[in-house]
Amino acid sequence: MKKQLSLKRCIVMAAMMAMVFFLLCSCSDDTTIDVVGGVANCSDGIQNGNETGIDCGWVCSNTCEAKNGLEGHIVARVILDNTVEYKLTGPLIIRDGGELEIREGTIIKAQKDANAYISVAQGGKLYIYGKPDAPVIITSDADNPAPGDWGGIVICGKAPTNRGENARSALGDLFYGGNELEDSSGTLQYLRVEYTGASFEETTTFNGITFFGAGAFTNLEHVQSYQGKGNGFAFYGGNINPKWLIASNHQGNGVAITDGWTGNAASLYLSTNATSGIRTSNNETDVMATPLTAGAIKNVSIIGPVSEGALLFDQGGGIGTIDSLYTNSTPLGIKVDGPEATSKIDTGEWQVNTIQFDTTDEGFSVTNYTGPNVSFYSEGLTSGSGNNANFPDWAMGWARED
């Protein structure tokens, strides 16, 4: 008899606990995705594994109301549902051990003037798997979007820079740098970011995508930065090897390389970026800091107008080569600024091979360099990123041409 009463009591208590849990879940009005650690379990009352909500989505048979707010800290693995349109409402930080996967066709709209940006700390991973016919798009939520509506993407890795092993990023205030050449911060492919470049501090403007010490195993391919207040892409040290990049209509440079980046880049289409197509420098405060910015860049189209030249070589410049470069509608081809940058050209440590100056502006000049190395560049015909000034074939379907 006592055993029967105990059994009944246990059943009643279990039912009451289940009812309390149900009521707590039902009364919640939180619309922001909660990110928690743990392994997949479809009945533990938390979001973990590859669930898209609490005990629902993907491997879980339960369905749940879409939660589309994005901000806060990611410390486990989170996969976004590409049937949901998400809203970035503030900083979204992927911490050490955290992973965010964004699949093809996903659209994220960043709230204007809300300090919204995505950052990846050292040890975090961002996986963006767009496709040519279904890119991932991160844009502004404004009715009339404009450059500077939201921040951008910031990725901090563990590869070397000439800022030291424990540098702090000017954007997001995260550590970066180290000695892990093969470090990976994830994969970004077939991605378009739009209307970036918000300034949340008087002296700091976000770029479309900024890489601080990103390692060689970080993949960056088929990515466009469209209409931003800062640069399209910025590489502060690291040894990432980007390919098939587009930077369109930025108020800064199309691509900025500095702080000891050592890598290879190929197939860049850089159009109507206000300052320059590519800016190469070594270090803003110590122009001779090591490791020196060094690398090889090839197959580039730079379409003007630009105020500082198709190529801008300053603040110590760097060493390396640029091959197969096409320029159109630029007032100046190659601008060299400062004695240290000039000395790199004097000694032949920086070379531009096969550059074509097409449809030049009135008063056009090839370069302002007046030193002894008159052969630091060679002119010739080239298709640049593929189609001279025209949009490249490899950009069709996923990138914006307007």
Side-chain angles (χ1 to χ4, degrees):
M1 186 67 174
K2 289 182 179 180
K3 289 183 178 181
Q4 288 181 341
L5 288 174
S6 297
L7 180 59
K8 289 181 179 179
R9 186 178 294 111
C10 289
I11 294 173
V12 170
M13 289 179 65
M16 290 177 65
M17 290 176 66
M19 181 63 72
V20 170
F21 177 75
F22 175 80
L23 290 173
L24 286 173
C25 292
S26 299
C27 292
S28 174
D29 60 356
D30 181 22
T31 58
T32 299
I33 290 180
D34 298 317
V35 182
V36 210
V39 295
N41 186 321
C42 297
S43 59
D44 58 4
I46 61 175
Q47 179 182 339
N48 50 25
N50 60 2
E51 298 170 359
T52 57
I54 297 175
D55 295 338
C56 57
W58 295 108
V59 300
C60 301
S61 59
N62 300 323
T63 58
C64 57
E65 181 182 352
K67 294 187 175 184
N68 66 345
L70 290 174
E71 68 173 294
H73 300 263
I74 291 179
V75 297
R77 182 169 176 78
V78 173
I79 303 175
L80 299 188
D81 182 349
N82 59 5
T83 66
V84 174
E85 183 178 288
Y86 290 90
K87 188 166 186 177
L88 184 64
T89 56
L92 180 65
I93 304 169
I94 306 169
R95 294 292 183 182
D96 187 7
E99 297 182 3
L100 174 62
E101 181 176 326
I102 307 176
R103 297 184 173 182
E104 73 275 7
T106 302
I107 296 175
I108 300 173
K109 292 188 176 180
Q111 186 174 338
K112 180 180 178 180
D113 300 330
N115 192 26
Y117 62 89
I118 298 173
S119 64
V120 182
Q122 288 182 316
K125 301 284 192 295
L126 175 61
Y127 297 107
I128 296 180
Y129 297 127
K131 292 184 178 180
D133 58 348
V136 171
I137 300 171
I138 308 177
T139 188
S140 167
D141 74 341
D143 292 335
N144 297 298
D149 278 355
W150 67 288
I153 298 176
V154 177
I155 294 179
C156 296
K158 301 177 183 179
T161 82
N162 59 30
R163 294 279 182 176
E165 292 190 7
N166 292 297
R168 297 296 290 256
S169 64
L171 302 168
D173 192 30
L174 297 170
F175 285 109
Y176 71 94
N179 56 15
E180 298 185 24
L181 295 174
E182 296 181 347
D183 182 45
S184 173
S185 297
T187 293
L188 281 67
Q189 65 182 30
Y190 292 106
L191 164 68
R192 192 168 77 234
V193 296
E194 303 175 341
Y195 309 110
T196 59
S199 297
F200 300 124
E201 298 177 9
E202 291 184 2
T203 59
T204 305
T205 298
F206 276 82
N207 306 300
I209 307 180
T210 308
F211 298 87
F212 291 97
F217 282 14
T218 303
N219 277 335
L220 178 65
E221 300 180 1
H222 293 101
V223 178
Q224 179 181 27
S225 181
Y226 176 83
Q227 289 206 21
K229 276 192 173 180
N231 304 308
F233 300 89
F235 301 91
Y236 291 83
N239 57 333
I240 186 173
N241 301 302
K243 293 182 288 186
W244 300 296
L245 302 186
I246 303 172
S248 315
N249 306 309
H250 291 82
Q251 296 177 19
N253 308 284
V255 171
I257 298 168
T258 189
D259 289 3
W261 172 79
T262 54
N264 299 286
S267 298
L268 313 177
Y269 183 80
L270 312 173
S271 175
T272 57
N273 299 294
T275 305
S276 72
I278 300 175
R279 179 192 178 198
T280 304
S281 59
N282 189 53
N283 185 295
E284 181 181 9
T285 57
D286 181 2
V287 294
M288 299 305 293
T290 57
L292 294 174
T293 297
I297 303 171
K298 65 180 181 180
N299 301 332
V300 182
S301 290
I302 297 176
I303 317 303
V306 290
S307 63
E308 298 291 330
L311 300 178
L312 174 58
F313 194 61
D314 68 352
Q315 294 179 352
I319 59 178
T321 59
I322 297 180
D323 295 287
S324 190
L325 172 63
Y326 171 90
T327 73
N328 188 295
S329 302
T330 63
L332 176 63
I334 306 168
K335 181 175 181 178
V336 183
D337 191 5
E340 294 82 5
T342 300
S343 70
K344 296 292 192 305
I345 295 178
D346 292 342
T347 56
E349 295 177 275
W350 192 72
Q351 187 77 25
V352 182
N353 302 315
T354 316
I355 183 170
Q356 179 179 352
F357 303 105
D358 195 8
T359 317
T360 55
D361 293 351
E362 184 177 353
F364 169 80
S365 176
V366 170
T367 181
N368 68 331
Y369 173 78
T370 57
N373 184 11
V374 295
S375 61
F376 86 93
Y377 71 92
S378 60
E379 291 190 57
L381 297 178
T382 172
S383 62
S385 62
N387 287 338
N388 300 114
N390 297 321
F391 215 51
D393 292 341
W394 49 261
M396 298 300 180
W398 62 272
R400 291 185 64 165
E401 187 173 359
D402 59 325

